[in-house]
Amino acid sequence: MEKYTIGVLATDQGDRVQHVTGTRVEVTVADVNDNPPRFTAEVYKGTVSEDDPAPSGVIAILSTTDDDSEDINKQVNYFITGGDPLGQFAIEHIQNEWKVFVRKPLDREEKDNYLLNITASDGIFTAKATVEVKVLDANDNSPRCEKALYSESVPENSPAGRLILQVSASDADIRSNAHITYELQGAGSELFIIDSDTGELKTSQPLDREEQEEHRFTMRAVDGGGRYCEADVHVSVEDVNDNPPQFSSDPYTFTVFENTEIGTYVAKLLASDIDVGLNSDIVYSLLDSADGFFSIDEQTGVISLERPLDRELQATYELRALASDQGSPRFSSVCLVVISVLDINDNPPVFEHREYTATVSEDVTAGTQLLRVQAASRDTEANGEISYGIISGNEHGLFSVDPRTGDVFVIEPLDYEASHEYYITIEATDGGSPPLSDMATVNINLTDVNDNRPVFSQDVYTAVVSEDTELGRTVATVNAEDLDGPSHSQVRYSIVAGNQGSPFTIDAARGELKVARQLDRERTSGYTLTVVASDNGTPPLSSSAMINIDISDVNDNPPLFSQANYSLIIQENRPKGTSVLQLAVTDRDASHNGPPFTFAIVDGNEGDAFHISEQGALVAAGALKKKNVEHYLLQAQVSDSGRPQLFSSAFISVRIIEESVYPPAILPLDIFVTTTGEEYAGGVLGKIHATDQDIYDTLTYSLAAVVFLPLRGQRRPVLRLRLRW
């Protein structure tokens, strides 16, 4: 209690009367600081993002209570007394509150949780509490690639999907900020695929070392916030022995003097193999050494003379050389080596090169210079004057050489389709007596241009297709060839005319003509299609062919009577076998599925009074009597000759009437016509009128007789007609 009130009495010591007086004493207790402050919580918790700039927001607000009554004894100061060795936090009194905040930048990756010891002091007493600070992650760290460079080798014959290597990266952040996906960057990466989650790098298609020995591209590891690291990836393609050696020429042509010493190098062959290592190490050998006249160094390909030559005995030797690589399995190739033996001479002309090469488009203009060959002689004056001429390989006269300069020209149109390359032998001859010479080979390679249209194997194709052929069935195949090279000879087919209603389609690549819609011979009995074959040149060339398609019939239409119902009126007592009606029948199918027709009466023929002949005539089988049967309703049926047989029906109403009673009556009529010669040929002379009282009788007219009667006084005769009805 802060204040006490005490009642005090004062009594005297009188004998008789004692007097008493009283008063109140108020005692106020003055406060002293004898109570410690107390925190309102033992542990305060707060969070802060590591990327919040310092000084940052409030982490916690501290508060204490104190049982002392005086304000001066309640005044408390707060201090961080532990857990913050680097001084990254601070406490300040702001707006009458003690607040804990971040003073220096934090790094969650170094430390993600702090326990700050807080001491509160009122000057005498202290209290302690803890502030737990949790540092939240921010995407402030890029992924770190495990390696800056990944290198691996893979054989060139590896299938698509071959695992090459696995890349890896880590991220100091957490959760989504540390989720890493992998991707490829850069040219050449399209040949590979990478698993975005595991980083497994695989081939997406087979590799070819001869096309590219090494593939270099970039791998990128990207975290959830878009930060990334990159590493270089080098994939070396290991060679496998998949290419044979290739000679630089086939055949080789060399010359050697007949007095050449044994052991002399007379020629050198060169073969190359685009593989590498042992797969490209080439060993030479002779399959035919011309009875041991020549040998070859297996390493260098140099051909040496082993026996003396005599041009008069043999002027030319043909050798077969073999070049083999050292791969597994081994590949090899063979070429022809032609060695011509020359007569002895002092200083023959010598070409600068044994072999010249030129490449030219097949549409080169006549008169174009291809190259120049050149030979030199150590002789002088006339013996050193060299002239050039083509001695072989120019059988068609396509090329010429300037005898003075050695310039080689095209003089006739070339055709890649006739020959892709030409080998001509040019001889250089000096002016000596006897003249000396040397020979060189000129290899002329032609490049293709699109100068040939596709040509169909036939101008007109024919096919017979049943009208019930199922859809998608191939009914014909057209084929066109293009004599150009592969870059211009791919043929595509299309239908451009005659395919009304699109009953057919054609495979653009294979030329297979197929049924696309149901056929109906009765609607269209045949088609004439125009098919175009186009090549892939620029511009494309094309040609066309016709396909005549006959639609063969199937029996899918029944025979039909010309009428669905017939009505007849017949007089009784007609003779047996009288034809009373001729039935007309049509069938839309072809003739072999139509007639001959088979007729039958399937209903209503009481007493078999009628029958139908093979020609479709309804015939009375006997005498008809009205009193027996006055009316017949016959159901006639007709069947065709197809397989399966189809049929249809018609109804014939036959009414029997009595015989005629009254003869026809004719009005008397005389016609007088006067004509000159043949002027009235075909003219109408007059009309005869007749009647009959029998209502169902039908009258017909005919001439019974023609009589010419001369009339008295008339020079011309008179025509008298007798009519019959």
Side-chain angles (χ1 to χ4, degrees):
M1 295 180 61
E2 294 181 354
K3 188 181 287 187
Y4 296 87
T5 301
I6 303 171
V8 179
L9 294 177
T11 306
D12 60 12
Q13 299 293 321
D15 295 331
R16 305 172 92 180
V17 178
Q18 293 180 345
H19 296 280
V20 179
T21 187
T23 187
R24 285 191 311 169
V25 178
E26 289 186 353
V27 179
T28 299
V29 181
D31 184 49
V32 294
N33 190 7
D34 58 351
N35 288 285
R38 288 189 300 274
F39 279 97
T40 57
E42 292 184 4
V43 178
Y44 296 83
K45 295 184 179 182
T47 60
V48 61
S49 178
E50 66 176 328
D51 62 346
D52 287 345
S56 62
V58 175
I59 298 173
I61 298 175
L62 307 176
S63 64
T64 56
T65 60
D66 196 317
D67 290 339
D68 292 323
S69 58
E70 295 293 333
D71 289 340
I72 192 170
N73 295 326
K74 293 182 179 182
Q75 291 181 1
V76 178
N77 291 314
Y78 298 83
F79 307 95
I80 299 174
T81 57
D84 185 23
L86 302 179
Q88 294 170 287
F89 301 89
I91 300 177
E92 287 190 3
H93 190 249
I94 301 172
Q95 296 177 349
N96 296 321
E97 291 180 322
W98 289 92
K99 299 177 180 179
V100 180
F101 62 93
V102 178
R103 180 180 179 187
K104 294 180 181 179
L106 303 178
D107 187 356
R108 190 205 64 81
E109 286 69 36
E110 290 185 5
K111 189 172 184 180
D112 62 353
N113 193 66
Y114 293 84
L115 293 176
L116 304 180
N117 296 325
I118 307 298
T119 301
S121 174
D122 61 3
I124 295 176
F125 299 99
T126 62
K128 295 185 181 294
T130 301
V131 175
E132 182 179 345
V133 181
K134 186 174 183 180
V135 183
L136 302 180
D137 185 57
N139 192 27
D140 59 344
N141 290 278
S142 297
R144 296 176 63 86
C145 293
E146 184 182 43
K147 298 179 181 179
L149 173 65
Y150 290 86
S151 297
E152 192 55 78
S153 299
V154 59
E156 66 176 330
N157 62 350
S158 297
R162 166 74 178 265
L163 177 62
I164 301 174
L165 54 85
Q166 184 172 14
V167 299
S168 179
S170 59
D171 194 314
D173 294 318
I174 59 174
R175 298 185 181 90
S176 62
N177 293 329
H179 179 70
I180 297 175
T181 58
Y182 301 92
E183 59 190 40
L184 301 180
Q185 304 281 329
S189 62
E190 65 274 4
L191 300 176
F192 304 87
I193 55 175
I194 191 168
D195 190 299
S196 60
D197 294 319
T198 65
E200 290 182 346
L201 180 69
K202 300 179 180 179
T203 57
S204 63
Q205 61 188 66
L207 305 178
D208 188 354
R209 189 206 64 80
E210 285 71 36
E211 285 188 11
Q212 190 171 346
E213 295 185 51
E214 186 179 53
H215 299 273
R216 297 190 174 202
F217 49 92
T218 301
M219 179 280 298
R220 177 177 290 181
V222 185
D223 67 18
R227 290 177 173 266
Y228 62 87
C229 68
E230 291 182 341
D232 293 327
V233 180
H234 294 177
V235 178
S236 299
V237 183
E238 296 176 349
D239 185 61
V240 296
N241 194 26
D242 57 350
N243 292 281
Q246 296 290 331
F247 282 97
S248 60
S249 179
D250 186 8
Y252 285 90
T253 302
F254 301 100
T255 58
V256 59
F257 290 103
E258 62 179 342
N259 65 340
T260 301
E261 296 180 0
I262 294 175
T264 300
Y265 297 158
V266 297
K268 186 179 189 305
L269 308 185
L270 178 62
S272 59
D273 192 318
I274 58 177
D275 293 319
V276 296
L278 283 176
N279 297 330
S280 66
D281 289 344
I282 298 174
V283 174
Y284 300 88
S285 61
L286 292 178
L287 298 177
D288 181 4
S289 62
D291 294 330
F293 274 82
F294 303 91
S295 65
I296 189 169
D297 187 291
E298 68 174 14
Q299 298 299 324
T300 64
V302 172
I303 296 177
S304 302
L305 182 64
E306 297 295 331
R307 294 173 58 185
L309 301 175
D310 187 350
R311 196 197 69 83
E312 285 71 33
L313 293 178
Q314 186 170 349
T316 303
Y317 294 86
E318 289 187 357
L319 314 178
R320 291 175 62 236
L322 177 72
S324 304
D325 62 26
Q326 302 301 298
S328 178
R330 290 191 176 189
F331 287 93
S332 61
S333 59
V334 178
C335 77
L336 179 66
V337 180
V338 179
I339 299 179
S340 300
V341 182
L342 303 178
D343 276 335
I344 300 172
N345 217 327
D346 288 335
N347 292 290
V350 178
F351 278 98
E352 289 183 344
H353 305 285
R354 286 293 180 191
E355 185 176 73
Y356 296 82
T357 302
T359 301
V360 62
S361 175
E362 68 171 329
D363 61 350
V364 63
T365 306
T368 300
Q369 180 183 345
L370 298 181
L371 76 162
R372 172 177 291 182
V373 298
Q374 192 166 0
S377 176
R378 294 172 60 189
D379 292 332
T380 58
E381 298 179 353
N383 291 333
E385 293 178 1
I386 299 173
S387 61
Y388 302 88
I390 300 175
I391 62 172
S392 66
N394 195 29
E395 290 77 13
H396 301 290
L398 303 177
F399 308 95
S400 68
V401 62
D402 188 303
R404 184 177 58 85
T405 63
D407 292 337
V408 179
F409 297 89
V410 177
I411 59 174
E412 294 292 338
L414 304 178
D415 189 358
Y416 176 90
E417 288 70 37
S419 179
H420 298 177
E421 55 186 4
Y422 296 86
Y423 293 91
I424 60 175
T425 302
I426 296 180
E427 184 179 48
T429 306
D430 64 20
S433 182
L436 303 178
S437 63
D438 190 17
M439 291 182 292
T441 300
V442 178
N443 181 9
I444 301 170
N445 296 311
L446 300 189
T447 58
D448 187 45
V449 296
N450 192 28
D451 60 346
N452 288 279
R453 300 177 182 274
V455 177
F456 282 94
S457 59
Q458 301 172 218
D459 291 332
V460 178
Y461 294 81
T462 59
V464 178
V465 185
S466 177
E467 65 178 329
D468 63 347
T469 299
E470 65 269 17
L471 301 185
R473 178 76 174 269
T474 299
V475 298
T477 301
V478 299
N479 181 53
E481 272 189 6
D482 193 313
L483 296 177
D484 290 317
S487 59
H488 302 126
S489 62
Q490 295 182 14
V491 178
R492 306 284 291 179
Y493 301 91
S494 60
I495 302 172
V496 298
N499 198 26
Q500 293 84 358
S502 301
F504 300 94
T505 60
I506 192 166
D507 188 295
R510 295 192 293 268
E512 294 176 350
L513 185 70
K514 299 182 179 181
V515 177
R517 293 191 177 180
Q518 190 63 52
L519 304 176
D520 188 354
R521 189 204 67 83
E522 287 70 35
R523 180 176 299 171
T524 305
S525 62
Y527 297 84
T528 299
L529 307 181
T530 302
V531 178
V532 170
S534 303
D535 63 23
N536 61 328
T538 304
L541 301 178
S542 62
S543 63
S544 62
M546 307 294 291
I547 305 178
N548 290 329
I549 303 173
D550 291 326
I551 308 302
S552 63
D553 187 57
V554 295
N555 194 25
D556 58 349
N557 290 278
L560 297 175
F561 289 96
S562 60
Q563 298 177 215
N565 299 287
Y566 297 85
S567 293
L568 303 177
I569 297 175
I570 303 174
Q571 291 180 346
E572 63 181 355
N573 296 324
R574 287 289 184 95
K576 178 181 179 181
T578 300
S579 174
V580 298
L581 175 65
Q582 179 63 47
L583 298 172
V585 177
T586 58
D587 193 326
R588 294 178 61 197
D589 290 320
S591 58
H592 65 279
N593 287 320
F597 300 111
T598 302
F599 297 88
I601 301 174
V602 297
D603 192 21
N605 192 18
E606 297 178 21
D608 295 328
F610 301 91
H611 69 86
I612 302 176
S613 69
E614 293 180 356
Q615 290 73 35
L618 180 65
V619 177
L624 303 175
K625 296 293 184 178
K626 178 180 179 183
K627 64 180 181 179
N628 295 335
V629 180
E630 184 178 358
H631 180 258
Y632 295 86
L633 181 59
L634 308 178
Q635 183 180 358
Q637 179 177 286
V638 60
S639 303
D640 61 20
S641 300
R643 293 291 183 271
Q645 196 174 51
L646 301 179
F647 60 87
S648 64
S649 300
F651 288 93
I652 305 172
S653 175
V654 182
R655 183 176 298 278
I656 309 301
I657 62 173
E658 297 176 349
E659 292 181 286
S660 296
V661 176
Y662 302 99
I666 185 169
L667 295 177
L669 179 63
D670 291 332
I671 301 174
F672 295 91
V673 178
T674 302
T675 180
T676 302
E678 298 295 326
E679 292 180 352
Y680 206 75
V684 177
L685 300 179
K687 187 173 182 181
I688 306 300
H689 296 277
T691 60
D692 194 314
Q693 295 184 49
D694 296 306
I695 61 175
Y696 292 108
D697 282 2
T698 301
L699 301 181
T700 60
Y701 301 84
S702 63
L703 289 175
V706 178
V707 181
F708 289 90
L709 299 177
L711 295 181
R712 187 177 297 176
Q714 296 290 335
R715 293 184 178 181
R716 294 190 176 96
V718 174
L719 172 66
R720 173 171 291 178
L721 307 178
R722 180 179 297 172
L723 301 176
R724 177 181 297 163
W725 57 89

